[in-house]
């Protein structure tokens, strides 16, 4: 069967690799408009901050003669009648099934003066202005960054906070501009936003809310300043646009496929108008809604490969997608600990969610809010407390029982049975506990990879995919590598409950192999 994949990013490359592994008969052609091999875009803000090197972002890609990857080749048209994809070179690629993994593009706001015409360097943006969407953007931003230089970051969502703190860590004088009154308004309420603002200001970042950029000044087509809607002018050598993304649907729309907030697909990821065309990742609009997180795109890729393999083996129809779990967002900001889980519904007259309690400590830069329903943690916000964030994140992702009275989660968050493993050293976790939430990789799988010869975090990531998403588990992976090697040298298992490592799961099944431990209902204390 001839498969064409448009997009060689985090989702498209994984789909191609998994499909080649599961279906040796598939003839796969991948068109990627970037010249780079697939890399971890989620970690780009860490590259800007100097916390990660661009060379460390490389991801697994298909290593099979049945996969032909065309780097730097842009698809320009889909001929549904002939079942062909035309590329910018004039070549045509026939398909039996087409998978669109075109991702999303940076939203460029219409700021007077921000574009020059024509400028092929970057969509007509003047020098010193850039979004952060790909590796070239990151390199462009780093070149403009430096101690004592001035930067304006437009947009205070997750990415805006990560970029602002990263540039401040490089010694830049940073102004963070947001058109809403609240920072990260999708996740934070006014109290949490105020505490986050205070934390940013303590890092030396100037925060301007309720205003927008209305113009720029430039000299010789290079940025010199940014004008805001309140009339103020901010000198700047760098303007980073963290103003959101738009799904890349132009190809699909031109081919007559239904596109709304993305390419409309059913539970099987197929487009309703053409069952031979599928969409996964940021470009797709599935029935359960799009989260914007790479974990959802990876799960869609895994399920699509699984469904095709099942149909190939048994003739069964594709298995519908299950409901998407709540989103967990860890802000990778230098000097700011911030995690949100789920969505807190504040529809009540008090503005607070039902069965929620909060701890607010502005002077200490701490804030925690938890929402409990039917004995489970369904949403939480944690600022300035890594230990509580670890415990509550474990309870949220594993859906383990928590005290029915949510006040106990604030009084003793580490006493949550079944979640305490996240606060314990990783060596004391059970084998089935998940270390890498993005890919669903357990401690046991990581230990087995170390026993098999993966002696550092990079090798473990290559063998298991652990740490290739948000990257927050990489320190735990390193700890497991060190402990497992030491235990092997001593002829014993690592400290803690583990005594026998779980077998390594094949990558397509990793996300499906998430084990939920049976935990008794905790006592109220």
């Amino acid at each position: 069967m001839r498969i064409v994949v448009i997009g060689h990013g985090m989702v498209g490359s994984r789909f191609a690799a998994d499909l080649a592994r599961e279906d040796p008969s598939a003839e796969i052609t991948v068109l990627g408009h970037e010249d780079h091999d697939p890399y971890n875009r989620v970690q780009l803000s860490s590259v800007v901050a100097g916390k990660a090197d661009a060379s460390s972002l490389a991801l697994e890609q298909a290593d099979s003669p049945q996969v032909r990857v065309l780097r730097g080749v842009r698809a320009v048209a889909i001929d549904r009648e002939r079942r062909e994809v035309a590329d910018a070179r004039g070549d045509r690629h026939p398909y039996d099934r087409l998978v669109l993994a075109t991702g999303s593009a940076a939203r460029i706001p219409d700021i007077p003066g921000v574009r020059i015409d024509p400028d092929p360097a970057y969509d007509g943006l003047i020098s010193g202005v850039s979004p952060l969407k790909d590796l070239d953007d990151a390199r462009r931003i780093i070149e403009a960054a430096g101690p004592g230089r001035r930067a304006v970051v437009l947009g205070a969502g997750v990415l805006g906070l990560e970029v602002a703190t990263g540039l401040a860590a490089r010694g830049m004088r940073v102004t963070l501009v947001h058109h809403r009154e609240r920072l990260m308004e999708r996740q934070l309420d006014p109290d949490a936003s105020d505490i986050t603002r205070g934390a940013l200001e303590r890092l030396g970042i100037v925060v301007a809310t309720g205003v927008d950029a209305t113009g720029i000044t430039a000299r010789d087509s290079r940025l010199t300043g940014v004008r805001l809607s309140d009339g103020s002018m901010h000198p700047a050598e760098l303007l980073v646009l963290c103003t959101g993304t738009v799904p890349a649907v132009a190809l699909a729309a031109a081919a007559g496929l239904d596109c709304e907030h993305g390419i409309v697909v059913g539970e099987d990821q197929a487009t309703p108008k053409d069952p031979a065309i599928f969409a996964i990742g940021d470009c797709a609009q599935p029935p359960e809604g799009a989260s914007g997180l790479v974990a959802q795109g990876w799960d869609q890729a895994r399920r699509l490969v699984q469904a095709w393999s099942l149909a190939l083996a048994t003739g069964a129809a594709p298995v519908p997608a299950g409901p998407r779990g709540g989103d967990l967002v860890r802000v990778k900001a230098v000097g700011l600990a911030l995690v949100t889980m789920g969505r807190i519904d504040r529809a009540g007259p008090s503005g607070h969610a039902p069965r929620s309690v909060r701890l607010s400590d502005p002077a200490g830069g701490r804030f925690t809010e938890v929402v409990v329903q039917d004995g489970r943690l369904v949403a939480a916000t944690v600022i300035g407390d890594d230990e509580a964030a670890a415990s509550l994140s474990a309870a949220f992702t594993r859906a383990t029982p928590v005290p029915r009275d949510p006040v106990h989660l604030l009084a003793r968050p580490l006493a949550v049975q079944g979640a305490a493993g996240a606060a314990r050293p990783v060596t004391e976790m059970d084998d089935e506990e998940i270390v890498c939430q993005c890919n669903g990789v357990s401690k046991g799988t990581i230990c087995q990879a170390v026993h098999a010869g993966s002696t550092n975090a990079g090798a473990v990531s290559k063998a298991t995919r652990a740490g290739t998403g948000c990257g927050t588990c990489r320190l735990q992976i390193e700890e497991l590598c060190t402990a497992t090697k030491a235990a092997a040298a001593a002829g014993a298992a690592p400290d803690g409950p583990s005594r026998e490592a779980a077998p390594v799961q094949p990558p397509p099944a990793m996300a499906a192999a998430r084990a939920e431990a049976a935990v008794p209902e905790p006592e109220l204390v």
Side-chain angles (χ1 to χ4, degrees), residues 36-124:
H36 308 292
D37 287 336
Y39 58 89
N40 188 339
R41 296 174 185 269
V42 181
Q43 290 292 314
L44 287 174
S45 61
S46 297
V47 173
V48 168
K51 294 168 54 182
D53 186 81
S55 62
S56 69
L57 304 189
L59 294 175
E60 174 197 15
Q61 55 184 315
D63 183 18
S64 169
Q66 71 192 92
V67 181
R68 181 175 61 135
V69 178
L70 302 177
R71 297 171 183 82
V73 177
R74 184 183 297 272
V76 296
I78 300 169
D79 187 332
R80 290 171 50 199
E81 184 176 350
R82 297 171 61 93
R83 290 197 174 184
E84 291 181 341
V85 174
D87 67 30
R89 306 174 306 180
D91 294 337
R92 301 182 76 84
H93 307 276
Y95 66 84
D96 297 304
R97 288 176 179 171
L98 172 63
V99 177
L100 301 175
T102 48
S104 59
R107 178 182 282 110
I108 307 299
D110 188 17
I111 303 172
V114 81
R115 295 180 183 271
I116 55 177
D117 185 28
D119 180 7
Y122 194 94
D123 269 350

Side-chain angles (χ1 to χ4, degrees), residues 424-445:
R424 292 178 283 143
V426 67
T427 54
E428 296 181 9
M429 292 169 61
D430 295 325
D431 278 343
E432 68 271 17
E433 290 190 67
I434 301 299
V435 176
C436 175
Q437 298 294 337
C438 293
N439 289 284
V441 185
S442 69
K443 173 196 172 183
T445 298

Side-chain angles (χ1 to χ4, degrees), residues 468-495:
T468 60
C470 69
T472 56
C473 62
R474 289 188 69 85
L475 286 177
Q476 289 181 304
I477 296 171
E478 287 285 9
E479 290 177 21
L480 277 179
C481 289
T482 300
T484 304
K485 288 185 292 184
D495 291 339

